[in-house]
Amino acid sequence: MRAAVASAPTSAVMRVASRGGNALSRRTRTRTSSSRTTTRGGRRATTTVAMAAAFVPAGAQIAGVGMAIPKQSLTNDDLASLVDTNDEWIKTRTGIGKRHVISGDESLTSLAAEAATDALKMAGVDAKDVDLIILATSSPDDVFGSACTVQAAIGAEGALAFDLTAACSGFVVGLVNGVHFIRGGEYKNVLVIGADVLSRYVDWRDRGTCILFGDGCGAMVLTSTPNPEDCCVLGFDMHSDGTGNHNLTAKFTNENGAEVNDGASKPRADTAAANSGRGAFCNIGMNGQEVFKFAVRAVPDTVGKSLAHAGLENEDVDHLVLHQANQRIIDGAAKKLGLSSDKVVSNIAKYGNTSAGSVPIALAEAVTEGKIKKGDVVACAGFGAGLTWASAILRW
């Protein structure tokens, strides 16, 4: 006797809502089906498996930016009372005049929430309508990350939130990722934040590092547009080289304060000393000369590649916004790219090296001051620990 095979429709239109597990952003997609025939006990049966079609592509645009800086600042003269240095020595070698550090009840989360709120206000986007939060940081308030605490602080209750660690390249990497989430068609509003409070890991007795780092945060809101061809990222380029990792680190340390390189960070469970201990991280250690040489070589190269991907020439760039690590690196990159000083955005003199915060802070400040305007072409690049380096060409 032949078994009856039930037929199923091969196509059905379903209304789906996508924001991870929350049904907030509605789109119409086509569901198709595939059939699979199996034999069980001599009887043939056909199973119909429904499959969702590809996402509907969308464009992405920059809708708003914001920034937040700690209240307390340290000038070069302040540091001269801690280490053997002076204002002229620091400015000549780095271009830095002062830096800001968190104090009191300030935290990475509070700075990120402030910057995010300002960016959302400029964009005209309610926090409840944010679909995704990407927090680029190397210094979260919690080892498990701070993106979720930022989400709670700003009231973005429906958003997926996660941390991204790519050191001083983090914001550019986060921006490229955010744009891709939107262009996939499933996210409408994405908040990208670059924030660091590396003052927590600075040895204030080390003249080579304490003069460089400051705390701060910048944020950007990306929103979707119906036209997939309308994209704020015209081209990008991203790289990593772990063989250079040793040149800039803040390693995990055991209870005695020694760096841990072999993974044996705690007593083994099978030893007598298996009681729990307290973990921590070492202060920042840097081979300044090697990092400087890496940056001088990598930055012009990655910006050039992003311009090539965008089909643009150096002269098409209206503004150059680089990670604010050292004024000599910024000036050297601009010279190699053939860009005049009036196209270079620099605020390192006021804030120092804020790691993942430096590029979005510079962008937010330039927008607020009226330097970056709608339609401008902006070349951005980050570089730092990992080693990592990344660039993106933006159409504002």
Side-chain angles (χ1 to χ4, degrees), residues 1 12 50 75 85 100 113 151 163 170 196 209 221 251 270 308-309 344 348-349 361 363 368 370 390 395:
M1 178 178 177
T75 66
T85 191
H100 293 249
Q151 177 220 34
D163 286 44
D196 268 307
T209 56
V221 175
K251 291 183 178 293
D270 57 355
H309 294 325
V344 177
I348 190 172
I361 289 172
L363 288 171
T368 301
R395 174 80 70 183

Side-chain angles (χ1 to χ4, degrees), residues 77-129:
D77 290 333
D78 292 330
L79 293 183
S81 66
L82 300 176
V83 294
D84 181 19
T85 191
N86 59 67
D87 181 62
E88 181 184 3
W89 190 90
I90 297 173
K91 283 183 177 177
T92 301
R93 287 160 177 78
T94 68
I96 300 171
K98 66 176 181 179
R99 70 288 297 147
H100 293 249
V101 296
I102 57 171
S103 61
D105 59 357
E106 291 177 324
S107 65
L108 182 127
T109 296
S110 68
L111 292 179
E114 181 182 343
T117 299
D118 287 349
L120 289 168
K121 182 178 180 181
M122 180 183 289
V125 174
D126 191 286
K128 290 183 173 59
D129 293 325

Side-chain angles (χ1 to χ4, degrees), residues 58-69:
Q61 64 181 1
I62 299 167
V65 289
M67 59 180 281
I69 302 297

